[in-house]
Amino acid sequence: MPNEMTDGFHLVIEAMKLNGLDTIFGVVGIPVTDLARLAQAEGIRYIGFRHEQSAGHAAAIAGYLTQKPGVCLTVSAPGFLNGMVALANATINGFPMIQISGSSDRAIVDLQQGDYEELDQMNAAKPYAKAAYRVNRPADIGISIARSIRAALSGRPGGVYLDLPADVLSASLDADAAARSLVRVVDPVPRQIPAPQALERALDLLAQAQRPLIILGKGAAYAQADADIREFIEKTAVPFLPMSMAKGLLPDDHPQSAAAARSYALAQADVVMLIGARLNWLLGHGKSPQWSAAARFIQIDIAPTEIDSNRPIAAPVVGDIASSMAALLAMLKPGRIKPDSLWLREIDQRRQRNAERMRERLAANPSPMDFYSALGAIARVLEDKPDVYLVNEGANTLDIARNVIDMRAPRKRLDCGTWGVMGIGMGFAIGAATISGKPVVAIEGDSAFGFSGMEIETICRYQLPIVVVIFNNGGVYRGDDVNRGGGADPAPTVLMKQAHYEKLIEAFGGAGYQVTDPQALATTLAAALASGKPALINCVIDPTAGTESGHIGNLNPQSAIAFRN
Ligand code: ADP
Ligand code: TPW
């Protein structure tokens, strides 16, 4: 009796199933089409995209939301490279994902003899991935999937590249030996308990503070230690500031939120506790003028090399956030941490003043709409729907929405993140809707939407509960710039002013709307959400409403020699 045989394709799917990887986001073609077919046949959900970058972003955000690596499947060379922006973005942001790519004949690739879709993919991926592996023998498939899962999840999560050459996928092997080669990962994210002395040092420093501040980053959101983080903040009475994707970890309307007094809180704090947030450009590298030069820092992070990266950290706590917060809570004695009451009062007064200013801006009803009036309408619709995911990209559309739209549940706000990358929109929306079944509202600048717009077809094909709202101001940042040479070509920042984006979704059977005032926007959005079906709202915004580069115009170098006549 000959032994029963299997092949590489089957082994990949079995290794995934054994480790609970139940969804693949991808684009098919040589040599991975049968892998996707087999996955579907074997009960793994396959979501087919129009471009690998969106598939990669979907996998990355699925990883962020579930603490399981999201899987993206790509074809060789160009498909692989299309996915790389998402893999790199996942690594930069700390999202666990695995990009599995088919690749061409290694013997031909390495001698550069001109194979179909020839590229040394593993080495191309290395600088952009947390880890990059290639499987050269089918018997190594099991261990390669195990290794990829562990690399994606442990420590600071990130993007892992796994290269599967065509001949490894199609190779036959003995079924018994194949079954024995599978590996189930045990404890892929081992707890990393912080040293007791480090915790004591951190609490000591916090106890010395008069003007303490806690900054919550997306690492804290990712850690899913929501209850302990909230308890620690409430028991210490320290004001907190959420970074963009940490909004909702505690509700934005929590009385201790200092978000509406952000600049004051950063500049005046004397002890700052960073929980899963890096002192990168988003926090002015921890330096003056944004921060006080005298401020002292506590930093809780799983990555030891993050400590002292930009500014000296007086009390480093290296460990996972769940273990660290639980330990801090256990050590916390009542009354030990006591922020100065003047500090709390100052923050509160500024908060109220700024909130009042914001209410006035939101209540104005200019025609055409500006960002504030449109976002105010959306905020009102979402107020009693904390379960809705909010995807957000653009410049003004991003920066203003972050300030206007309160989040009330953790991990619901998904945006451009650490890189400020455009193109996450439809991928994040599809990823979040797929893994949760929950509704998604994607608030998109008209330029930002263009980077992943074709995925509207994907949304309609899978009938996902996603409402895309396009802030159409006819341009990148603004729609009113002119050609400085006087020619007929539009200016570099200008897009089509009369674009009817709503017609795009109609081509695929979805519901398209155009709105020009906040009331219509609110009514349409509420109805679209209630339908649970794909919809796109083209929201007409004043072309002169935005500012160049949104709230980060200070980073935009401008020509020193006058040419703007
Ligand atoms: P934000 O952009 O919201 O400020 P960052 O992405 O800059 O957040 O920082 C997140 C930090 O959280 C990273 O330095 C990462 O190492 C850390 N981190 C991620 N997950 C965990 C975890 N489970 N425990 C501890 N630290 C974590
Ligand atoms: C991959 C540069 C930053 S913001 C932006 C671009 C092109 C679009 C801004 O216009 P939009 O929003 O979306 O209409 P709004 O509200 O200001 O009108 N390519 C990539 N990433 C980035 N960040 C850019 C280009 C950019």
Side-chain angles (χ1 to χ4, degrees):
M1 269 275 284
N3 285 349
E4 211 181 310
M5 302 296 281
T6 185
D7 61 24
F9 287 110
H10 282 81
L11 258 185
V12 174
I13 299 305
E14 280 163 32
M16 283 185 61
K17 283 172 67 174
L18 182 67
N19 286 289
L21 302 179
D22 52 14
T23 307
I24 297 176
F25 306 92
V27 175
V28 293
I30 296 171
V32 297
T33 312
D34 260 359
L35 192 65
R37 283 203 186 100
L38 186 65
Q40 203 168 48
E42 293 290 320
I44 290 180
R45 186 142 196 228
Y46 177 80
I47 307 288
F49 283 72
R50 306 303 297 260
H51 191 287
E52 292 86 351
Q53 189 180 121
S54 291
H57 287 318
I61 213 63
Y64 169 72
L65 293 172
T66 61
Q67 295 184 325
K68 259 189 343 192
V71 176
C72 170
L73 181 66
T74 60
V75 305
S76 19
F80 153 80
L81 281 175
N82 279 345
M84 281 309 291
V85 167
L87 192 80
N89 189 59
T91 305
I92 293 288
N93 280 281
F95 302 152
M97 75 172 274
I98 304 171
Q99 180 178 340
I100 297 181
S101 189
S103 60
S104 301
D105 189 315
R106 192 161 166 214
I108 303 177
V109 171
D110 284 358
L111 265 180
Q112 297 175 32
Q113 292 172 309
D115 205 1
Y116 168 71
E117 298 191 337
E118 176 179 294
L119 187 74
D120 178 3
Q121 295 170 195
M122 179 185 69
N123 284 303
K126 268 184 189 161
Y128 308 110
K130 189 177 166 196
Y133 307 119
R134 179 162 51 213
V135 181
N136 287 298
R137 301 180 295 213
D140 290 337
I141 286 173
I143 200 80
S144 78
I145 296 276
R147 211 157 153 60
S148 300
I149 291 171
R150 195 174 285 284
L153 287 176
S154 57
R156 175 185 290 166
V160 173
Y161 175 63
L162 181 60
D163 194 285
L164 298 177
D167 58 348
V168 171
L169 285 169
S170 61
S172 302
L173 69 167
D174 178 89
D176 285 342
R180 282 195 303 275
S181 74
L182 291 173
V183 178
R184 180 208 280 274
V185 182
V186 178
D187 192 13
V189 196
R191 292 179 66 192
Q192 300 203 13
I193 317 278
Q197 302 92 312
L199 295 166
E200 195 48 57
R201 194 189 293 123
L203 286 175
D204 247 0
L205 187 53
L206 204 56
Q208 290 165 32
Q210 290 176 316
R211 300 183 304 281
L213 178 67
I214 290 176
I215 308 249
L216 299 172
K218 60 170 124 53
Y222 175 79
Q224 299 197 15
D226 311 341
D228 278 359
I229 290 174
R230 183 172 186 151
E231 191 179 337
F232 185 82
I233 288 176
E234 290 181 343
K235 281 197 167 147
T236 57
V238 174
F240 72 94
L241 268 179
M243 299 301 287
S244 190
M245 282 178 59
K247 275 166 69 79
L249 185 41
L250 275 77
D252 277 333
D253 56 8
H254 191 283
Q256 283 170 257
S257 168
R262 188 175 195 272
S263 342
Y264 175 81
L266 294 189
Q268 299 298 321
D270 62 354
V271 173
V272 181
M273 182 180 214
L274 301 162
I275 308 182
R278 286 172 284 187
L279 282 177
N280 57 16
W281 69 279
L282 285 157
L283 283 171
H285 301 282
K287 303 202 167 110
S288 76
Q290 271 199 44
W291 298 84
S292 153
R296 287 178 298 167
F297 283 75
I298 300 161
Q299 183 163 28
I300 307 181
D301 206 292
I302 201 152
T305 51
E306 191 53 43
I307 311 297
D308 297 333
S309 59
N310 283 270
R311 168 168 185 154
I313 301 297
V317 176
V318 175
D320 74 85
I321 286 169
S323 304
S324 305
M325 294 316 295
L328 283 171
L329 267 177
M331 292 164 72
L332 191 66
K333 299 203 179 67
R336 181 171 176 197
I337 315 281
K338 210 166 170 357
D340 198 289
S341 56
L342 206 65
W343 168 240
L344 301 182
R345 206 168 335 128
E346 270 295 328
I347 288 182
D348 207 45
Q349 279 169 4
R350 271 156 218 272
R351 200 176 114 105
Q352 286 184 28
R353 221 178 303 147
N354 291 339
E356 182 52 38
R357 241 178 260 154
M358 178 65 94
R359 265 193 295 278
E360 284 163 19
R361 278 184 118 152
L362 297 183
N365 193 6
S367 179
M369 272 187 284
D370 65 5
F371 290 94
Y372 286 93
S373 55
L375 286 165
I378 296 177
R380 285 191 293 280
V381 174
L382 297 183
E383 212 166 47
D384 60 352
K385 299 177 181 61
D387 274 359
V388 173
Y389 284 94
L390 186 77
V391 171
N392 191 197
E393 61 176 336
N396 295 279
T397 305
L398 174 83
D399 293 334
I400 303 176
R402 185 173 53 237
N403 289 342
V404 169
I405 301 188
D406 278 353
M407 305 305 297
R408 296 178 175 81
R411 295 170 293 283
K412 291 294 180 179
R413 189 186 151 83
L414 314 171
D415 67 27
C416 309
T418 307
W419 249 4
V421 66
M422 297 300 118
I424 48 94
M426 300 306 102
F428 276 13
I430 294 167
T434 306
I435 56 109
S436 71
K438 296 262 160 47
V440 179
V441 173
I443 305 181
E444 302 272 313
D446 50 347
S447 163
F449 171 71
F451 289 75
S452 66
M454 193 62 208
E455 303 300 343
I456 282 287
E457 189 272 338
T458 310
I459 291 170
C460 291
R461 186 162 21 102
Y462 290 93
Q463 283 295 296
L464 297 170
I466 296 172
V467 185
V468 181
V469 184
I470 298 183
F471 274 38
N472 183 358
N473 66 345
V476 176
Y477 316 134
R478 295 167 69 99
D480 62 342
D481 202 5
V482 293
N483 181 331
R484 307 302 160 107
D489 283 351
T493 56
V494 162
L495 298 171
M496 278 189 75
K497 289 199 189 0
Q498 310 305 338
H500 279 281
Y501 290 101
E502 75 281 7
K503 293 200 190 302
L504 287 175
I505 199 166
E506 289 169 5
F508 308 112
Y513 309 92
Q514 170 161 299
V515 299
T516 55
D517 65 84
Q519 190 49 50
L521 172 55
T523 316
T524 310
L525 176 61
L529 275 172
S531 80
K533 298 245 165 61
L536 188 153
I537 305 174
N538 181 36
C539 182
V540 180
I541 302 282
D542 185 350
T544 70
T547 54
E548 180 129 329
S549 302
H551 292 179
I552 52 171
N554 59 314
L555 301 181
N556 199 15
Q558 297 196 341
S559 170
I561 301 165
F563 71 102
R564 299 165 175 243
N565 34 25

